[in-house]
Amino acid sequence: MAEKVIRVDDMDGSEGADVAKRDFEVLGRTFTIDLSDDNYKRLNELQDALAPFIEKAVEVKPAGKGRKSRVAKIKGYTNGDVRDWALRQDIEVSERGKISDEVYAAFIEAHPDAKPDA
């Protein structure tokens, strides 16, 4: 018994003796596709045409996720509470943005119930 394998061009659906599995690389990733000689030639021409653009371009990386504290700094109080307390204690604290770990530590020392594991 004999089996006959018929390769079909993935681009145009044509069959032929010249259709073969073709590997190609784009931006460091390898792909494979069944193409006839003509379509493989077209693919190579497209890659050659894109090469100067890719060489001059700068890769855009996806934005990373913002850093979030994994552990709560304080329990049962808001950052506003911490800022108000710090100002009453004459401790320098910004009106907005990150509160320093030292300010949180001082707040927790003055308010033991604010300790995250309390």
Side-chain angles (χ1 to χ4, degrees):
M1 173 161 87
E3 288 185 16
K4 183 175 181 179
V5 175
I6 300 173
R7 290 222 188 253
V8 177
D9 187 300
D10 289 332
M11 293 304 296
D12 62 19
S14 65
E15 299 175 9
D18 66 334
V19 177
K21 187 167 290 301
R22 316 289 181 140
D23 293 343
F24 64 99
E25 189 176 313
V26 176
L27 299 175
R29 294 176 57 196
T30 302
F31 298 87
T32 190
I33 190 170
D34 291 337
L35 293 176
S36 65
D37 289 342
D38 287 342
N39 280 334
Y40 187 57
K41 181 180 174 189
R42 285 181 50 217
L43 172 63
N44 287 323
E45 289 168 353
L46 286 169
Q47 284 187 290
D48 291 343
L50 279 176
F53 295 95
I54 293 171
E55 288 173 16
K56 300 273 186 195
V58 176
E59 182 177 358
V60 177
K61 302 207 179 208
K65 293 183 180 177
R67 291 186 340 174
K68 297 261 182 188
S69 176
R70 292 182 189 165
V71 178
K73 298 276 188 181
I74 54 174
K75 182 177 177 184
Y77 294 90
T78 66
N79 285 345
D81 296 333
V82 174
R83 284 189 171 86
D84 291 343
W85 173 84
L87 291 172
R88 287 193 309 272
Q89 303 302 310
D90 292 325
I91 297 173
E92 191 175 322
V93 64
S94 64
E95 291 181 27
R96 295 177 28 188
K98 185 178 185 303
I99 298 173
S100 72
D101 291 339
E102 292 80 17
V103 173
Y104 281 119
F107 183 86
I108 290 169
E109 190 174 315
H111 303 83
D113 63 321
K115 190 170 185 177
D117 9 276

